[in-house]
Amino acid sequence: MTEVADAPTGGQNGDGSVELGGYRQELKRTLGPFQVFAISFAFISVAVGIFSTYDDVLQNAGPVGIWLWVVATVGQILVALVVAQLAARIPLSGSSYQWASRLANPKVGWGFGWLTFCYLAIAVLAVDNALASQAFMPLVGLAPDEDTARLITLIVLFLQAVLAVASTRLVSLINSAAVGVELVLVVVLVLALTIAVVVTGDGAAGNLTSRGVAAHAPHYFGVGGGLMLAMIMGLATLVGFDSAANLAEEAKDPHRSVPRAIVGSVVAAGVLGMLFLLALTVAIDDIPRISASGSPVAAIMRDHLGPAVERTLLVAISFAFFGAGMVVMVACSRMIFAMSRDARFPAHRLMRRVSPRTRTPVPATVLIFALGVVLMVALPGAALLELITASTILPALIYGSTIVLYLAVRRGLDRRKGAFDLGRFELPVAICALVWTLFALFVLVAPREALVSVVIVVGLLLAGGLFFLLMLRFDRAALESEPGEAAAFKH
C-alpha cells in the first residue's frame, strides 16, 4: 500500500517523523521558519481578503460592520491553537487527513481528507478568478468581462502549476516575496491613509459607528441579516492557516516551526487586518459613493493618494493573489499525494508519484490544474459563483471536525519535549474553539442566499461517499490498516 522507510534517518531535520509514519522521505525539506509562516500567511492573505470582501461589509452592514473582524480574529485564533496542538505531534503531509487516520481510524481520516481536498481544489479556482477579475483586469484597463476573466484565470493556473512542479523552494521564495510585499503594503497604506486624513480632513472617525447605506435595512440584527453577513469577511479571510501543516514534510524542525506558523499567521493577519480596516473606514469621505463602487478599497486609495498609488496597490494585490493561489495549489497537491500513497485516492498509483529531479508530486499538481480547466470551461457563471461561495462553508466543517477529534483523543496524544503545547489550557481553549466554530458554521449557512451553497456542499459529500463505498467494496484493505508504527504518535 505504501513504501516504508528502510530506517529512521531523521528526515533532514524532521526528527524521523516521516519514517515513524511508515513512509520514505520523498519530499525535500527546504522550508525554514519564515517560509513556513509565509505559507500560512499567504493563504490567509489579509490584504486580498479585505480587498475582495470590504464592499460586502459596506453594503450589508455599513462601516460599523468592520468590528466583527475582531470577533472573527479571536475565534480563529482559538481554532488555530487547537490545530497547532495536532500539527506539533503528527507533522506529516495531509494534515487533518493524517491526524484523523492515526488518532481515530483510516475511514474517519478519509472523510477529513476528502473534505480538505474539495475545499482546496475550489479555493485555487476562487483565488485565481478573483485575481483576474478584481485586480489584474482593472490594473491593465480591461472592461469587466467574464470570458476574459476565465481565460486569464486559466493562464494563471498554468503558471502556478509550472512553478509548483519545478521546485518547492522556488514556490517558497516567490511566496515569501509576496508576503513581504503584502506586509509592507498594509503598513505603508495604514500610515499613508492616516496622514492623508489628518492633513486634508477628508474622512471621519464617526464612520466607525455608522451603518451607512444599511441604516434602514430590514432585519439588520436578525438571523441572516446585514450585521451577520458582515461576519463573513473575517470567516472567509482568516482560514487556510493550517496549510503549513500540509507541507510539514518539507519543513525544517516541523514540531516547532509548523505550529508557530499556524498561530502566528492568524495573529499577524488579525492585527494587520484590523489596522487596515480602521484606516480605510475612517478615510471614507462619502459613504454612499464608496459603498456603491465596485472596488471600495481602490476607490479610497484613489481619493486620498491619487491614481498612481491605486495602480501600485493593484500591482501588489495581484502579486499577493498569485502567491496565495500558488500556496493553495501546493497544499492541495500534498493532500492528494498523502492520500494516494495510502491508496485512498482515485488513480492513487499515479497521484503518489514524486519527481526524482524536482522532489515534487507532479501528477497531483497537474490534476489540480486539469480540474480548474474543466470547471472554468464547463460551469456557467452563476454555477461557478455558487461553487466558489460554497467553499467558505467547507473550512468551518473541517475545523469543527478537527476540534471534535482533538477533544476525543487529546489524552492519548504524545507529549514531545520542546514541541508546541498548551498545557493546562488545552481543554478550555478547545471547548471555546468548538463553540466558536459551531457559531461560525451557523453564520455561514443561515442566510437564505446560502441554500444553493449548502446543496453544493452536500453534493460534494455525496460524491465522496460514493467513492468511499467503492473502496469498501473493491479495496477495503486500504481503509483498514495504517502504515508505520501503530502507536508512533501516541503515548
Side-chain angles (χ1 to χ4, degrees):
M1 181 172 68
T2 187
E3 296 184 45
V4 180
D6 295 328
T9 63
Q12 302 176 55
N13 199 24
D15 299 325
S17 53
V18 176
E19 290 82 1
L20 285 174
Y23 309 114
R24 286 193 299 110
Q25 180 72 49
E26 296 182 86
L27 305 175
K28 191 174 182 179
R29 290 195 185 276
T30 58
L31 305 177
F34 180 77
Q35 286 79 20
V36 178
F37 165 82
I39 287 166
S40 285
F41 189 86
F43 196 123
I44 296 172
S45 196
V46 62
V48 168
I50 292 174
F51 187 87
S52 303
T53 58
Y54 189 54
D55 58 334
D56 292 326
V57 174
L58 294 180
Q59 291 165 13
N60 291 311
V64 71
I66 67 166
W67 293 107
L68 291 175
W69 178 273
V70 177
V71 179
T73 297
V74 173
Q76 295 301 83
I77 288 174
L78 291 172
V79 176
L81 287 169
V82 177
V83 171
Q85 289 276 100
L86 291 166
R89 287 158 177 77
I90 308 180
L92 297 173
S93 294
S95 57
S96 59
Y97 156 71
Q98 290 283 5
W99 306 336
S101 293
R102 294 175 183 277
L103 298 176
N105 63 66
K107 297 182 180 67
V108 174
W110 186 92
F112 275 72
W114 178 256
L115 274 176
T116 306
F117 161 70
C118 290
Y119 167 55
L120 294 174
I122 298 170
V124 176
L125 202 62
V127 172
D128 289 348
N129 190 245
L131 187 164
S133 60
Q134 297 182 33
F136 184 78
M137 289 175 67
L139 174 64
V140 299
L142 291 175
D145 180 77
E146 185 178 332
D147 292 336
T148 302
R150 290 186 181 224
L151 177 61
I152 295 172
T153 301
L154 293 178
I155 294 172
V156 171
L157 277 169
F158 176 75
L159 292 174
Q160 290 168 337
V162 170
L163 291 169
V165 164
S167 167
T168 300
R169 182 169 178 79
L170 179 60
V171 168
S172 71
L173 289 173
I174 295 173
N175 182 58
S176 295
V179 167
V181 168
E182 184 173 356
L183 289 169
V184 172
L185 172 72
V186 173
V187 172
V188 169
L189 287 179
V190 168
L191 292 174
L193 281 174
T194 302
I195 293 170
V197 170
V198 170
V199 171
T200 65
D202 294 332
N207 292 343
L208 298 175
T209 57
S210 171
R211 288 168 58 178
V213 297
H216 304 292
H219 310 298
Y220 180 83
F221 295 100
V223 174
L227 193 61
M228 181 180 285
L229 289 173
M231 179 76 76
I232 294 176
M233 177 171 65
L235 295 179
T237 302
L238 299 172
V239 294
F241 42 82
D242 53 320
S243 55
N246 254 332
L247 277 74
E249 291 179 30
E250 293 153 271
K252 300 174 183 178
D253 194 13
H255 294 279
R256 297 179 180 85
S257 63
V258 171
R260 290 172 181 172
I262 289 171
V263 178
S265 61
V266 183
V267 173
V271 172
L272 285 174
M274 194 65 231
L275 292 175
F276 193 27
L277 286 169
L278 289 171
L280 285 171
T281 304
V282 171
I284 298 175
D285 60 357
D286 186 339
I287 293 176
R289 178 177 63 84
I290 295 297
S291 300
S293 67
S295 179
V297 176
I300 294 169
M301 296 295 110
R302 184 171 57 250
D303 287 348
H304 287 276
L305 305 174
V309 173
E310 179 193 7
R311 292 185 65 83
T312 302
L313 168 69
L314 289 174
V315 170
I317 289 292
S318 297
F319 190 31
F321 263 120
F322 186 85
M326 190 162 57
V327 163
V328 181
M329 176 177 284
V330 170
C332 188
S333 70
R334 273 43 173 190
M335 178 60 70
I336 295 171
F337 164 74
M339 295 181 71
S340 296
R341 67 181 174 183
D342 293 338
R344 297 170 189 163
F345 195 84
H348 60 85
R349 290 183 178 84
L350 174 63
M351 294 301 151
R352 62 166 296 164
R353 292 181 184 174
V354 173
S355 167
R357 185 174 64 85
T358 66
R359 305 282 291 275
T360 57
V362 177
T365 306
V366 173
L367 173 65
I368 301 165
F369 170 71
L371 287 173
V373 172
V374 170
L375 292 174
M376 292 304 295
V377 172
L379 290 181
L384 179 64
L385 181 61
E386 293 292 352
L387 180 67
I388 290 172
T389 304
S391 69
T392 61
I393 299 173
L394 290 171
L397 285 173
I398 296 166
Y399 292 145
S401 301
T402 301
I403 296 167
V404 171
L405 170 71
Y406 179 77
L407 286 169
V409 304
R410 67 183 185 85
R411 294 185 183 277
L413 285 175
D414 178 35
R415 304 287 173 174
R416 189 182 187 93
K417 184 177 180 180
F420 181 89
D421 195 339
L422 289 176
R424 61 181 180 177
F425 296 104
E426 63 174 353
L427 183 58
V429 167
I431 292 174
C432 291
L434 180 59
V435 172
W436 159 253
T437 306
L438 292 173
F439 171 71
L441 189 59
F442 173 73
V443 169
L444 291 168
V445 303
R448 187 179 306 171
E449 298 84 357
L451 178 60
V452 176
S453 298
V454 171
V455 171
I456 291 174
V457 170
V458 172
L460 293 172
L461 294 175
L462 290 175
L466 178 61
F467 178 73
F468 182 80
L469 291 175
L470 290 174
M471 286 192 66
L472 286 177
R473 175 68 176 83
F474 297 106
D475 195 10
R476 180 181 289 269
L479 292 171
E480 294 184 342
S481 61
E482 197 70 39
E485 300 178 27
F489 304 104
K490 301 178 181 179
H491 66 70

